[in-house]
Amino acid sequence: MTLQELLTSLTRDLHAAGTDAPALEARLLAGHVLHLDRIGLMLAMPSPVADDAAAAIRALTARRCAGEPLAHITGRREFFGRDFEVSPQTLIPRPETELLLEIVLRECEGHRDVRFADLGTGTGCIGITLALELPHSRGLLLEYSAGALPVAARNIRSLQAADRLALVRGDMFTPPLLPQGLDVLVSNPPYIAAAEEDEVMAEVLHHEPHSALFSEQDGLRHLHAVIRSGQQALKPGGLIAMEHGYRQGEAVRRLLMEAGYGAPRTEQDLAGLDRCTWARRD
């Protein structure tokens, strides 16, 4: 069987299972097993696929058809143009989170020697991206999960950001941050309320860590903790930026104003939904 014939069969199976992008996912799974990029796959289309390789690709496709996230199967996910390791112990990086990076990079334009912290770093995708996009910055990445910490550590090393990042195990409710030591505090904390569980995709609910998804107090408990941390850790004029649920923009702005931050602003993702709110410490 040629690669083209195999991909046609896999695409049909994935389509029947209701995956989002069957043809793309078939190519990604085949590329993962065959160690081929997009160009390599195109060139290999007329060539036969070895039986053992075809069996391995079909086995991965069966896992995907059963609802396992593609990122967990391949162990990789692209974020902001870079390749990150992921695992079932970490939240899978999502395109909408890139808005959070865009806000921070925009607001830090022209600034050097930025000091930042990323609370609840998971894979490290936010903090590592900031360090690489802001070449003179230094950051602290905080994560409580013992399972997520080694994933973040490997991503820091593989993306060559170890010289400017410190990875620390800690609780975002009592983070080890010095008073007024930060220019930027950023976080994508758990923010789904228990009452919203029925709205969560089954693929996410069954495969991603609930500790990275759900928060008490109508989904606001961790967001409030980040805001409190910023009160102590941010320099005057320092930036706080957080991702949150599409219903939470108003509540997050209220919490920021109550905590003394100036003029909080909520920005929308590509779907037009409230996704990130930021403000500056007065």
Side-chain angles (χ1 to χ4, degrees):
M1 178 180 288
T2 68
L3 178 58
Q4 179 66 71
E5 291 168 338
L6 178 60
L7 288 175
T8 298
S9 174
L10 300 178
T11 299
R12 186 165 51 247
D13 293 344
L14 290 163
H15 179 76
T19 64
D20 291 336
L24 174 61
E25 294 189 356
R27 291 194 298 270
L28 290 172
L29 291 169
H32 177 69
V33 172
L34 299 172
H35 305 290
L36 294 174
D37 60 14
R38 183 175 61 87
I39 301 299
L41 285 171
M42 291 176 61
L43 295 173
M45 287 296 183
S47 303
V49 181
D51 290 344
D52 57 344
I57 296 168
R58 288 195 180 279
L60 296 188
T61 302
R63 289 167 59 185
R64 182 67 187 119
C65 288
E68 187 174 349
L70 181 66
H72 286 177
I73 296 171
T74 64
R76 316 299 301 179
R77 184 61 175 256
E78 182 181 327
F79 181 81
F80 222 81
R82 297 181 178 89
D83 187 48
F84 285 84
E85 177 187 340
V86 301
S87 85
Q89 305 299 316
T90 65
L91 196 68
I92 298 171
R94 288 167 168 78
E96 52 266 31
T97 302
E98 294 189 1
L99 173 63
L100 193 61
L101 273 300
E102 292 168 1
I103 290 169
V104 175
L105 294 175
R106 182 191 70 214
E107 294 301 309
C108 289
E109 187 174 0
H111 293 271
R112 294 173 61 89
D113 302 321
V114 174
R115 298 295 181 263
F116 70 87
D118 172 17
L119 302 189
T121 197
T123 62
C125 65
I126 294 172
I128 293 170
T129 301
L130 282 179
L132 296 175
E133 294 292 324
L134 298 170
H136 300 284
S137 64
R138 292 186 179 276
L140 181 145
L141 278 56
L142 185 76
E143 177 55 55
Y144 182 75
S145 167
L149 280 166
V151 177
R154 287 192 291 272
N155 282 326
I156 290 170
R157 290 194 298 271
S158 67
L159 290 165
Q160 301 180 9
D163 59 331
R164 289 184 288 111
L165 291 175
L167 177 63
V168 176
R169 188 179 188 193
D171 187 335
M172 70 171 62
F173 293 96
T174 54
L177 300 175
L178 294 174
Q180 297 190 19
L182 297 177
D183 301 294
V184 175
L185 182 63
V186 64
S187 183
N188 177 17
Y191 56 70
I192 301 174
E196 298 172 323
E197 182 174 332
D198 291 344
E199 301 177 25
V200 181
M201 293 173 57
E203 179 178 311
V204 174
L205 192 63
H206 296 152
H207 293 279
E208 299 194 51
H210 285 201
S211 61
L213 295 169
F214 293 97
S215 184
E216 299 171 345
Q217 299 172 8
D218 295 326
L220 296 172
R221 182 168 182 253
H222 290 78
L223 287 159
H224 199 186
V226 176
I227 291 169
R228 288 196 302 270
S229 296
Q231 287 178 288
Q232 302 299 319
L234 284 171
K235 301 174 184 176
L239 174 71
I240 185 171
M242 299 167 288
E243 180 176 329
H244 51 72
Y246 71 94
R247 296 190 184 100
Q248 294 173 322
E250 182 178 355
V252 173
R253 291 194 301 275
R254 184 185 70 248
L255 289 173
L256 284 164
M257 287 187 289
E258 290 174 352
Y261 292 85
R265 176 180 171 186
T266 299
E267 300 197 21
Q268 290 71 42
D269 58 23
L270 292 176
L273 301 174
D274 284 358
R275 184 58 57 194
C276 297
T277 295
W278 61 275
R280 291 193 177 274
R281 182 180 181 273
D282 286 342

